[in-house]
Amino acid sequence: MKLLELLESWPVVRQLRDGDALGLGRAAQSRRSRELTPRTQHADRVVQSICPYCAVGCGQLVYVESGEVTHIEGDPASPISRGRLCPKGQASKSFVQSPLREYKVKYRRPYGTRWEELSLDDAMEMIAQRIVDTRAATWEEKTPDDAPANRTMAIGNLGGATLDNEENYLIKKLCFGLGIVQVENQARI
Ligand code: SF4
């Protein structure tokens, strides 16, 4: 190390040189701290988005570098959240990139002891067939006191907080059209 660098590495010298007598400012900075840059600085683009987790719909800024999401933070321009995100929203980068993210439908058959992978088409077909069969087997045209019912009490729908108003509206329309009257959402529970 050259003599000048050696002297500069001594905080007292920096305190005297920079007028930082108490060593609370730049004089206390290590070289590593001085050279740190924000991880958002090298982003190719910043995309405005909406947090996918709950129906509050907080605004997000998504930083993208070489096609990869590198950082997500609150969007100050959002009139809903004004730059804030809750811990779930702040962690939503993992929603995209976590190695634990599931990409396949998992199915555990009755009395099964392990998860099996299904194709999305097979899973959708299985769900639709079960709804059709259950509805046919449990259909009630009348209530016990003979009023019109046209319903099934054997199927219910519980929505998650990720669903927004429009999705909840469509789910409710679909369920009522099928005679499914037990429809709830986790956000209200
Ligand atoms: S999960 Fe948190 S950050 Fe995301 S929309 Fe809901 S409150 Fe906002």
Side-chain angles (χ1 to χ4, degrees), residues 2 21 25 29 35 45 76 87 100 115 127 142 175 182 185-187:
K2 294 189 192 113
Q29 267 185 338
E35 291 171 357
R45 56 204 168 99
L100 301 174
W115 293 101
I127 292 167
K142 305 240 179 220
C175 287
Q182 300 171 120
N185 186 285
Q186 171 259 316

PDB file of all heavy atoms in Angstrom, residues 2 21 25 29 35 45 76 87 100 115 127 142 175 182 185-187:
ATOM      1  N   LYS A   2       0.540   2.212  -0.855  1.00  0.00           N
ATOM      2  CA  LYS A   2       1.361   3.427  -0.902  1.00  0.00           C
ATOM      3  C   LYS A   2       1.144   4.228   0.381  1.00  0.00           C
ATOM      4  O   LYS A   2       0.119   4.085   1.053  1.00  0.00           O
ATOM      5  CB  LYS A   2       0.972   4.256  -2.116  1.00  0.00           C
ATOM      6  CG  LYS A   2       1.305   3.571  -3.424  1.00  0.00           C
ATOM      7  CD  LYS A   2       1.100   4.542  -4.583  1.00  0.00           C
ATOM      8  CE  LYS A   2       1.138   3.777  -5.875  1.00  0.00           C
ATOM      9  NZ  LYS A   2      -0.116   3.745  -6.583  1.00  0.00           N
ATOM     10  N   ALA A  21     -14.920  16.414  12.518  1.00  0.00           N
ATOM     11  CA  ALA A  21     -14.185  16.235  13.776  1.00  0.00           C
ATOM     12  C   ALA A  21     -14.714  15.064  14.605  1.00  0.00           C
ATOM     13  O   ALA A  21     -13.934  14.361  15.271  1.00  0.00           O
ATOM     14  CB  ALA A  21     -14.256  17.528  14.584  1.00  0.00           C
ATOM     15  N   GLY A  25     -19.487  11.424   9.856  1.00  0.00           N
ATOM     16  CA  GLY A  25     -19.874  11.565   8.448  1.00  0.00           C
ATOM     17  C   GLY A  25     -19.017  10.712   7.544  1.00  0.00           C
ATOM     18  O   GLY A  25     -18.763   9.529   7.820  1.00  0.00           O
ATOM     19  N   GLN A  29     -16.698   6.391   6.862  1.00  0.00           N
ATOM     20  CA  GLN A  29     -17.029   5.434   5.798  1.00  0.00           C
ATOM     21  C   GLN A  29     -15.823   4.592   5.413  1.00  0.00           C
ATOM     22  O   GLN A  29     -14.729   5.139   5.220  1.00  0.00           O
ATOM     23  CB  GLN A  29     -17.491   6.175   4.546  1.00  0.00           C
ATOM     24  CG  GLN A  29     -18.977   6.363   4.456  1.00  0.00           C
ATOM     25  CD  GLN A  29     -19.343   6.998   3.121  1.00  0.00           C
ATOM     26  OE1 GLN A  29     -18.526   7.634   2.461  1.00  0.00           O
ATOM     27  NE2 GLN A  29     -20.582   6.814   2.743  1.00  0.00           N
ATOM     28  N   GLU A  35     -17.998   2.708  -2.027  1.00  0.00           N
ATOM     29  CA  GLU A  35     -18.138   2.194  -3.396  1.00  0.00           C
ATOM     30  C   GLU A  35     -19.433   1.424  -3.622  1.00  0.00           C
ATOM     31  O   GLU A  35     -19.699   0.961  -4.725  1.00  0.00           O
ATOM     32  CB  GLU A  35     -16.932   1.297  -3.721  1.00  0.00           C
ATOM     33  CG  GLU A  35     -15.656   2.138  -3.838  1.00  0.00           C
ATOM     34  CD  GLU A  35     -14.401   1.285  -3.954  1.00  0.00           C
ATOM     35  OE1 GLU A  35     -14.531   0.049  -3.878  1.00  0.00           O
ATOM     36  OE2 GLU A  35     -13.315   1.869  -4.111  1.00  0.00           O
ATOM     37  N   ARG A  45     -34.750  -1.516 -17.157  1.00  0.00           N
ATOM     38  CA  ARG A  45     -36.029  -0.801 -17.161  1.00  0.00           C
ATOM     39  C   ARG A  45     -36.728  -0.995 -15.835  1.00  0.00           C
ATOM     40  O   ARG A  45     -36.411  -1.929 -15.095  1.00  0.00           O
ATOM     41  CB  ARG A  45     -36.922  -1.235 -18.327  1.00  0.00           C
ATOM     42  CG  ARG A  45     -37.213  -2.654 -18.416  1.00  0.00           C
ATOM     43  CD  ARG A  45     -37.561  -3.058 -19.854  1.00  0.00           C
ATOM     44  NE  ARG A  45     -37.548  -4.504 -19.904  1.00  0.00           N
ATOM     45  CZ  ARG A  45     -38.635  -5.246 -19.832  1.00  0.00           C
ATOM     46  NH1 ARG A  45     -39.816  -4.694 -19.751  1.00  0.00           N
ATOM     47  NH2 ARG A  45     -38.543  -6.562 -19.849  1.00  0.00           N
ATOM     48  N   PRO A  76     -44.128   5.129  -5.307  1.00  0.00           N
ATOM     49  CA  PRO A  76     -44.638   6.355  -4.661  1.00  0.00           C
ATOM     50  C   PRO A  76     -45.787   6.987  -5.439  1.00  0.00           C
ATOM     51  O   PRO A  76     -46.567   7.752  -4.869  1.00  0.00           O
ATOM     52  CB  PRO A  76     -43.422   7.289  -4.651  1.00  0.00           C
ATOM     53  CG  PRO A  76     -42.247   6.428  -4.937  1.00  0.00           C
ATOM     54  CD  PRO A  76     -42.728   5.247  -5.710  1.00  0.00           C
ATOM     55  N   PRO A  87     -44.771  -6.653   4.217  1.00  0.00           N
ATOM     56  CA  PRO A  87     -43.679  -7.629   4.020  1.00  0.00           C
ATOM     57  C   PRO A  87     -43.958  -8.630   2.901  1.00  0.00           C
ATOM     58  O   PRO A  87     -43.039  -9.032   2.188  1.00  0.00           O
ATOM     59  CB  PRO A  87     -43.588  -8.327   5.383  1.00  0.00           C
ATOM     60  CG  PRO A  87     -44.074  -7.301   6.345  1.00  0.00           C
ATOM     61  CD  PRO A  87     -45.159  -6.546   5.637  1.00  0.00           C
ATOM     62  N   LEU A 100     -38.193 -22.540  -4.977  1.00  0.00           N
ATOM     63  CA  LEU A 100     -39.236 -23.395  -4.401  1.00  0.00           C
ATOM     64  C   LEU A 100     -40.569 -23.254  -5.137  1.00  0.00           C
ATOM     65  O   LEU A 100     -41.526 -23.915  -4.808  1.00  0.00           O
ATOM     66  CB  LEU A 100     -39.454 -23.038  -2.923  1.00  0.00           C
ATOM     67  CG  LEU A 100     -38.220 -23.185  -2.028  1.00  0.00           C
ATOM     68  CD1 LEU A 100     -38.507 -22.667  -0.639  1.00  0.00           C
ATOM     69  CD2 LEU A 100     -37.792 -24.649  -1.965  1.00  0.00           C
ATOM     70  N   TRP A 115     -47.409 -36.963  -3.321  1.00  0.00           N
ATOM     71  CA  TRP A 115     -47.939 -36.070  -4.345  1.00  0.00           C
ATOM     72  C   TRP A 115     -47.579 -36.600  -5.735  1.00  0.00           C
ATOM     73  O   TRP A 115     -46.466 -37.062  -5.946  1.00  0.00           O
ATOM     74  CB  TRP A 115     -47.360 -34.668  -4.169  1.00  0.00           C
ATOM     75  CG  TRP A 115     -47.821 -33.991  -2.923  1.00  0.00           C
ATOM     76  CD1 TRP A 115     -47.131 -33.861  -1.763  1.00  0.00           C
ATOM     77  CD2 TRP A 115     -49.088 -33.373  -2.706  1.00  0.00           C
ATOM     78  NE1 TRP A 115     -47.884 -33.200  -0.839  1.00  0.00           N
ATOM     79  CE2 TRP A 115     -49.082 -32.878  -1.382  1.00  0.00           C
ATOM     80  CE3 TRP A 115     -50.217 -33.167  -3.493  1.00  0.00           C
ATOM     81  CZ2 TRP A 115     -50.173 -32.208  -0.831  1.00  0.00           C
ATOM     82  CZ3 TRP A 115     -51.294 -32.497  -2.947  1.00  0.00           C
ATOM     83  CH2 TRP A 115     -51.271 -32.030  -1.629  1.00  0.00           C
ATOM     84  N   ILE A 127     -61.399 -31.611 -12.153  1.00  0.00           N
ATOM     85  CA  ILE A 127     -62.210 -30.702 -11.319  1.00  0.00           C
ATOM     86  C   ILE A 127     -63.601 -30.523 -11.930  1.00  0.00           C
ATOM     87  O   ILE A 127     -64.630 -30.631 -11.245  1.00  0.00           O
ATOM     88  CB  ILE A 127     -61.498 -29.325 -11.177  1.00  0.00           C
ATOM     89  CG1 ILE A 127     -60.229 -29.486 -10.352  1.00  0.00           C
ATOM     90  CG2 ILE A 127     -62.420 -28.307 -10.533  1.00  0.00           C
ATOM     91  CD1 ILE A 127     -59.290 -28.289 -10.414  1.00  0.00           C
ATOM     92  N   LYS A 142     -86.135 -28.470  -4.277  1.00  0.00           N
ATOM     93  CA  LYS A 142     -86.967 -27.797  -3.261  1.00  0.00           C
ATOM     94  C   LYS A 142     -86.272 -27.844  -1.906  1.00  0.00           C
ATOM     95  O   LYS A 142     -85.474 -28.738  -1.630  1.00  0.00           O
ATOM     96  CB  LYS A 142     -88.314 -28.517  -3.136  1.00  0.00           C
ATOM     97  CG  LYS A 142     -89.059 -28.666  -4.421  1.00  0.00           C
ATOM     98  CD  LYS A 142     -90.388 -27.969  -4.320  1.00  0.00           C
ATOM     99  CE  LYS A 142     -91.113 -28.108  -5.658  1.00  0.00           C
ATOM    100  NZ  LYS A 142     -91.800 -26.940  -6.061  1.00  0.00           N
ATOM    101  N   CYS A 175     -70.566 -19.720  -9.831  1.00  0.00           N
ATOM    102  CA  CYS A 175     -71.105 -20.584  -8.775  1.00  0.00           C
ATOM    103  C   CYS A 175     -72.625 -20.502  -8.730  1.00  0.00           C
ATOM    104  O   CYS A 175     -73.307 -21.541  -8.673  1.00  0.00           O
ATOM    105  CB  CYS A 175     -70.519 -20.188  -7.419  1.00  0.00           C
ATOM    106  SG  CYS A 175     -68.800 -20.665  -7.241  1.00  0.00           S
ATOM    107  N   GLN A 182     -72.845 -21.646  -1.525  1.00  0.00           N
ATOM    108  CA  GLN A 182     -71.919 -21.397  -0.411  1.00  0.00           C
ATOM    109  C   GLN A 182     -70.614 -20.822  -0.972  1.00  0.00           C
ATOM    110  O   GLN A 182     -69.699 -21.559  -1.338  1.00  0.00           O
ATOM    111  CB  GLN A 182     -71.694 -22.710   0.352  1.00  0.00           C
ATOM    112  CG  GLN A 182     -73.006 -23.242   0.900  1.00  0.00           C
ATOM    113  CD  GLN A 182     -72.903 -24.620   1.480  1.00  0.00           C
ATOM    114  OE1 GLN A 182     -73.177 -24.810   2.649  1.00  0.00           O
ATOM    115  NE2 GLN A 182     -72.490 -25.586   0.684  1.00  0.00           N
ATOM    116  N   ASN A 185     -65.066 -15.642   0.737  1.00  0.00           N
ATOM    117  CA  ASN A 185     -63.704 -15.204   0.417  1.00  0.00           C
ATOM    118  C   ASN A 185     -62.914 -15.027   1.694  1.00  0.00           C
ATOM    119  O   ASN A 185     -63.412 -14.483   2.677  1.00  0.00           O
ATOM    120  CB  ASN A 185     -63.746 -13.868  -0.349  1.00  0.00           C
ATOM    121  CG  ASN A 185     -62.363 -13.476  -0.821  1.00  0.00           C
ATOM    122  OD1 ASN A 185     -61.529 -13.040  -0.034  1.00  0.00           O
ATOM    123  ND2 ASN A 185     -62.099 -13.667  -2.091  1.00  0.00           N
ATOM    124  N   GLN A 186     -61.685 -15.476   1.661  1.00  0.00           N
ATOM    125  CA  GLN A 186     -60.829 -15.437   2.845  1.00  0.00           C
ATOM    126  C   GLN A 186     -60.662 -14.018   3.392  1.00  0.00           C
ATOM    127  O   GLN A 186     -60.591 -13.799   4.596  1.00  0.00           O
ATOM    128  CB  GLN A 186     -59.469 -16.043   2.488  1.00  0.00           C
ATOM    129  CG  GLN A 186     -58.389 -15.900   3.527  1.00  0.00           C
ATOM    130  CD  GLN A 186     -57.451 -14.783   3.159  1.00  0.00           C
ATOM    131  OE1 GLN A 186     -57.042 -14.651   2.021  1.00  0.00           O
ATOM    132  NE2 GLN A 186     -57.087 -13.979   4.122  1.00  0.00           N
ATOM    133  N   ALA A 187     -60.669 -13.027   2.482  1.00  0.00           N
ATOM    134  CA  ALA A 187     -60.475 -11.644   2.926  1.00  0.00           C
ATOM    135  C   ALA A 187     -61.621 -11.193   3.826  1.00  0.00           C
ATOM    136  O   ALA A 187     -61.433 -10.352   4.701  1.00  0.00           O
ATOM    137  CB  ALA A 187     -60.362 -10.740   1.719  1.00  0.00           C
TER     138      ALA A 187
END
